């Protein structure tokens, strides 16, 4: 599988001691990632990782930092966002992760199956960035645009919204 931002750390180069790996996406990779994740732009994407083998597989710890521009989900206005996300993953041999669904606690490590003879830190960074994004970014103009279109706010559409309207009608002076 080829990705827009591939930085493969081959398994035969990963030892039992932490090895620091830093990666940075170039302009072409950032443009391809913006297209993949439906972003206006990716201005910066970088990762700093410590990679090492452990008895269960390959452990990857680090941080992903990015600067992106998303489109407001209502107006389409550009919305700058910054990402600064910790990463803690364990890569295991195919089939070693099991098929059972388990509940992850706050101290649990996400497990990912190894593919292609190594760990793709570029894909780790890209997916971490995408998961950290606001799925429905709203610009300051969004509420006004929705109101003009006749969309009710959550408070107005909720179960007490109708009661608030009734209360206003009852409080109005009678002719």
């Amino acid at each position: 599988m080829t990705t827009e931002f591939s930085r493969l750390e081959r398994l035969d180069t990963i030892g039992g001691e932490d090895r620091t790996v830093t990666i940075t996406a170039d302009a072409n990779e950032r443009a391809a990632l913006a297209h993949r994740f439906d972003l206006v732009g990716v201005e910066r994407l970088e990762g700093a990782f410590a990679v090492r083998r452990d008895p269960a597989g390959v452990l990857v710890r680090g941080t992903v930092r990015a600067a992106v521009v998303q489109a407001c989900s209502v107006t389409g206005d550009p919305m700058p966002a910054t990402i600064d996300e910790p990463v803690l993953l364990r890569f295991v041999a195919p089939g070693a992760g099991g098929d059972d669904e388990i509940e992850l606690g706050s101290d649990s490590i996400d497990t990912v199956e190894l593919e292609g003879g190594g760990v793709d830190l570029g894909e780790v960074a890209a997916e971490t960035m995408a998961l950290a994004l606001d799925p429905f970014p709203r610009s300051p103009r969004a509420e006004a645009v929705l109101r003009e279109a006749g969309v009710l706010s959550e408070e107005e559409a909720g179960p007490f919204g109708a009661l608030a309207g009734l209360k206003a009608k009852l409080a109005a002076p009678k002719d």
Side-chain angles (χ1 to χ4, degrees), residues 5 49 62 64 87 93 101 108 125 137 156 165:
F5 178 41
F49 305 102
V64 170
V87 173
E101 289 188 25
S108 297
E156 295 168 331

Side-chain angles (χ1 to χ4, degrees), residues 58-139:
V58 175
L59 188 64
V60 175
R61 289 179 293 119
T63 305
V64 170
R65 292 185 176 89
V68 303
V69 179
Q70 295 180 270
C72 169
S73 60
V74 175
T75 65
D77 293 345
M79 303 278 307
T82 56
I83 307 294
D84 189 348
E85 278 295 304
V87 173
L88 181 56
L89 297 171
R90 176 168 288 120
F91 288 82
V92 297
D99 293 330
D100 299 333
E101 289 188 25
I102 57 170
E103 187 85 18
L104 293 177
S106 61
D107 60 344
S108 297
I109 299 175
D110 285 334
T111 302
V112 181
E113 286 191 356
L114 286 164
E115 291 181 15
V119 174
D120 191 344
L121 296 177
E123 187 61 15
V124 167
E127 290 179 7
T128 300
M129 175 193 72
L131 289 170
L133 294 171
D134 182 347
F136 302 104
R138 294 262 180 113
S139 72

